């Protein structure tokens, strides 16, 4: 996984997030360019980062583990850009649903992607950007 510099976050219009006790390990790893997921040793199942119980068995034995940071595009939507105060429209934003290699699905802003070029099954790599005043946030980059 890579981590674009601060200029890579320009124009993304991502909402800043606030770290809490549960999310701190995720954001610490994200600052180093690593995607962490929740893993249940008793079931061998992976869950999304926000999970508090195993998504399959509902057990509470989740621990943080590094993930590959890769997956495939399942679905997407294109959100039209709004007009700025200067009357110039902002670029459209593409939001994708990505099935990670480990199994969980993440909703990610797809950078450098346009709706017409997308199709289900395209490989996606997770990267991190840091909007001004925020923790690092995951985004997806489509390859293929």
């Amino acid at each position: 996984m890579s981590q674009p510099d601060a200029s890579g976050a320009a124009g993304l219009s991502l909402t800043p997030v606030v770290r809490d006790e549960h999310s701190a390990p995720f954001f610490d790893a994200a600052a180093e360019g690593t995607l962490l997921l929740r893993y249940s040793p008793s079931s061998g199942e992976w869950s999304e980062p926000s999970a508090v119980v195993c998504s399959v068995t509902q057990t509470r034995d989740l621990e943080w583990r590094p993930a590959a940071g890769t997956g495939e595009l399942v679905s997407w939507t294109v959100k039209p850009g709004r007009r700025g105060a200067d009357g110039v429209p902002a670029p459209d934003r593409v939001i994708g649903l990505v099935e990670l290699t480990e199994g969980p699905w993440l909703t990610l802003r797809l950078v450098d992607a346009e709706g017409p070029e997308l199709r289900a099954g395209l490989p996606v790599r997770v990267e991190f950007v840091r909007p001004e005043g925020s923790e690092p946030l995951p985004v997806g980059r489509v390859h293929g």
Side-chain angles (χ1 to χ4, degrees):
M1 282 164 288
S2 64
Q3 183 176 12
D5 61 23
S7 65
L12 285 181
S13 301
L14 294 170
T15 304
V17 295
V18 179
R19 153 194 309 260
D20 62 17
E21 187 177 314
H22 177 75
S23 65
F26 176 85
F27 290 116
D28 290 344
E32 301 296 323
T34 300
L35 175 66
L36 291 185
L37 296 176
R38 305 292 280 169
Y39 179 78
S40 170
S42 65
S43 69
E45 298 291 338
W46 294 84
S47 297
E48 68 281 352
S50 61
V52 235
V53 296
C54 174
S55 59
V56 176
T57 65
Q58 305 305 301
T59 56
R60 293 188 169 271
D61 65 343
L62 296 180
E63 55 188 48
W64 291 106
R65 290 213 181 159
T70 57
E72 290 187 354
L73 185 62
V74 174
S75 185
W76 63 95
T77 188
V78 178
K79 186 173 181 181
R82 296 182 184 169
R83 288 194 181 275
D86 57 3
V88 177
D92 292 346
R93 293 183 291 167
V94 180
I95 310 298
L97 184 59
V98 176
E99 182 174 8
L100 297 172
T101 302
E102 293 80 5
W105 290 16
L106 286 184
T107 302
L108 300 169
R109 168 80 189 271
L110 300 179
V111 295
D112 298 336
E114 296 182 22
E117 69 191 36
L118 298 176
R119 61 180 162 65
L122 282 175
V124 176
R125 183 178 73 242
V126 177
E127 298 180 351
F128 295 90
V129 296
R130 187 184 287 259
E132 191 171 323
S134 178
E135 297 285 350
L137 298 175
V139 296
R141 190 170 304 275
V142 176
H143 296 276

